[in-house]
Amino acid sequence: MPDATWRLPDRTITLDRPFVVGILNVTPDSFSDGGRHATVDAALAHAERMLAEGADALDVGGESTRPQGATPVDAEEETRRVLPVVEAISARFPQAIVSVDTVKSAVAARALGAGAGVVNDVSGFRLDAGMGETCARHRAGVILMHSRGAVHDMATFAHASYDDGVVAAVRRELGESLERALAAGVAAEAVVLDPGIGFAKRPEHSLAVLAALGELASLGRPLLVGVSRKRFIGEITGVTIAADRIHGTTGANVAALGAGARLFRVHDVRAAREALDVAWAVMRARPAGARA
Ligand code: HH2
């Protein structure tokens, strides 16, 4: 089977090895001290480090969805956080692929105008009716993630009930997101799908979805997973401090690669880059007939 591709405004990516997306959160709790300039400098330094460690793209986010204390921000404040960072990265690293993690079309439009090439919408185009048209107009790459509910509760268990099984529900609801995008004029080739690990999912739901990624492959688009440091890893390993969940994250990423994921959103780029490249080399060394 030929490698999948992903169309961005200025290039088409061939997913012939795992694609690593480095997380760059510019929420105040991530970069708490200093004024705006210090924040941009800190973000740039972090961006530079992640690129040096092998990140294929950087995902800039200005609104947290964290289960404890996700405070929704308005478009103006989110733009104020995100835009200088997108501008600075685009100026310093013009070849870097920059994604903006937002559910708001106004924020997406400003970021795309400033050099971002991808919109990562954790609501899968559910929360802002203008998102599809905005992405289509800019020919943006699009990551559509499965979730339920609003920003403040999508990472809780408030909507984590799945009568017909979590995998069937995620497949159906992600399919609806894809349809919304196509109806707005987004090209199918520009879309990557993400089951939304930990979003409206208890740990057992996240595990079930990771194990059954193959069932989402029939939606016809490459799959991204965001397992990095998440709660289900803490539950399995007993590691309570999120930043210390690096080894559990590696295990989840490698398992997801084996199950069909090709893009990986991570905090710890070097660990993911090396682990996924090695796992991929082993997978590729299998006799052709035995490959997944
Ligand atoms: N997870 C988070 C945020 N954005 N985007 C995609 N596509 N997939 C994910 O799994 C995903 C995401 C939450 O993680 P994090 O960035 O660590 O936290 P926060 O929401 O506080 O920024």
Side-chain angles (χ1 to χ4, degrees):
M1 213 169 62
D3 292 310
T5 59
W6 185 26
R7 203 186 83 186
L8 306 184
D10 59 341
R11 69 194 101 172
T12 294
I13 310 287
T14 300
L15 298 168
D16 55 1
R17 70 166 187 159
F19 188 95
V20 174
V21 180
I23 299 171
L24 192 49
N25 283 327
V26 290
T27 45
D29 38 325
S30 308
F31 297 98
S32 49
D33 26 55
R36 216 185 80 171
H37 190 61
T39 303
V40 174
D41 280 351
L44 253 188
H46 194 43
E48 181 167 21
R49 178 171 166 199
M50 289 196 286
L51 291 170
E53 289 182 349
D56 297 300
L58 302 173
D59 187 36
V60 181
E63 180 175 51
S64 180
T65 51
R66 239 167 243 161
Q68 327 80 348
T71 320
V73 292
D74 62 25
E76 202 178 320
E77 170 62 16
E78 197 181 331
T79 303
R80 202 188 62 77
R81 294 176 183 179
V82 160
L83 201 64
V85 175
V86 172
E87 284 169 348
I89 296 172
S90 304
R92 176 85 71 89
F93 309 107
Q95 282 308 307
I97 297 171
V98 179
S99 153
V100 59
D101 185 343
T102 186
V103 299
K104 300 187 189 73
S105 60
V107 179
R110 294 293 300 278
L112 291 167
V118 177
V119 174
N120 172 24
D121 184 344
V122 296
S123 82
F125 286 5
R126 285 184 301 108
L127 296 180
D128 184 331
M131 204 48 136
E133 191 271 327
T134 299
C135 292
R137 184 158 34 89
H138 286 86
R139 296 172 54 84
V142 171
I143 300 167
L144 297 174
M145 196 196 81
H146 176 265
S147 65
R148 289 173 169 180
V151 168
H152 72 275
D153 68 356
M154 61 170 64
T156 70
F157 301 148
H159 305 282
S161 63
Y162 295 96
D163 294 340
D164 55 347
V166 64
V167 177
V170 168
R171 192 186 178 290
R172 184 180 62 246
E173 291 166 27
L174 260 187
E176 289 165 7
S177 283
L178 180 57
E179 286 305 318
R180 262 193 296 277
L182 301 181
V186 173
E189 301 74 43
V191 177
V192 161
L193 299 174
D194 177 347
I197 300 303
F199 284 86
K201 292 170 195 73
R202 297 180 183 278
E204 62 268 28
H205 295 137
S206 290
L207 289 174
V209 165
L210 282 173
L213 280 180
E215 293 182 36
L216 304 180
S218 57
L219 291 168
R221 296 306 306 149
L223 299 174
L224 180 148
V225 292
V227 298
S228 191
R229 301 179 178 176
K230 282 191 178 161
R231 182 168 34 194
F232 79 100
I233 293 172
E235 295 223 346
I236 294 168
T237 59
V239 177
T240 49
I241 298 170
D244 289 345
R245 292 178 185 151
I246 184 165
H247 304 301
T249 298
T250 300
N253 276 329
V254 170
L257 177 73
R262 290 295 173 263
L263 303 95
F264 304 83
R265 182 180 180 276
V266 298
H267 299 88
D268 303 292
V269 169
R270 184 171 168 208
R273 176 84 278 158
E274 292 182 3
L276 289 164
D277 283 352
V278 172
W280 184 241
V282 173
M283 287 167 67
R284 287 258 151 154
R286 276 184 208 146
R291 276 190 204 156

